[in-house]
Amino acid sequence: QGFEDVTRVWATITPVSARERLGSPQIIPEQTVRIHIRMFAPLEPSWVIRYAGKLWQIDGISTYPRERRMELLASIAEAGQAT
């Protein structure tokens, strides 16, 4: 599956939660992070974030126009799940 880089931005990334769930035939890690970036208007929830050698799907976007920043919640995208 191919992805095209749209932009690179500075971010503060904070772990929110991590756990493992049983999937056949292996244990699948689940991680969620909170990402703070400067306001980036074209950002869409369907996009994928590449960070630390992993692909992260955007689960939620909060915008704070007054502070010119955005907060994203993202989780590791499972194979075939990221679009």
Side-chain angles (χ1 to χ4, degrees), residues 27-49:
I27 295 175
I28 301 169
E30 293 182 347
Q31 294 177 299
T32 302
V33 295
R34 179 173 287 118
I35 303 170
H36 291 268
I37 63 172
R38 286 186 184 181
M39 190 66 80
F40 184 68
L43 182 68
E44 297 182 20
S46 62
W47 289 5
V48 175
I49 297 167

Side-chain angles (χ1 to χ4, degrees), residues 2-79:
F3 296 101
E4 177 184 337
D5 286 347
V6 174
T7 191
R8 289 177 184 230
V9 297
W10 287 98
T12 301
I13 300 176
T14 309
V16 174
S17 67
R19 65 185 184 125
E20 296 178 337
R21 67 179 169 87
L22 189 58
S24 69
Q26 61 192 10
I27 295 175
I28 301 169
E30 293 182 347
Q31 294 177 299
T32 302
V33 295
R34 179 173 287 118
I35 303 170
H36 291 268
I37 63 172
R38 286 186 184 181
M39 190 66 80
F40 184 68
L43 182 68
E44 297 182 20
S46 62
W47 289 5
V48 175
I49 297 167
R50 187 180 329 199
Y51 168 70
K54 300 174 186 170
L55 296 178
W56 300 80
Q57 68 183 28
I58 298 172
D59 297 323
I61 300 174
S62 298
T63 58
Y64 301 93
R66 215 172 186 183
E67 299 167 17
R68 297 178 44 182
R69 69 179 179 91
M70 300 175 85
E71 179 181 283
L72 317 173
L73 278 179
S75 56
I76 288 183
E78 294 181 25

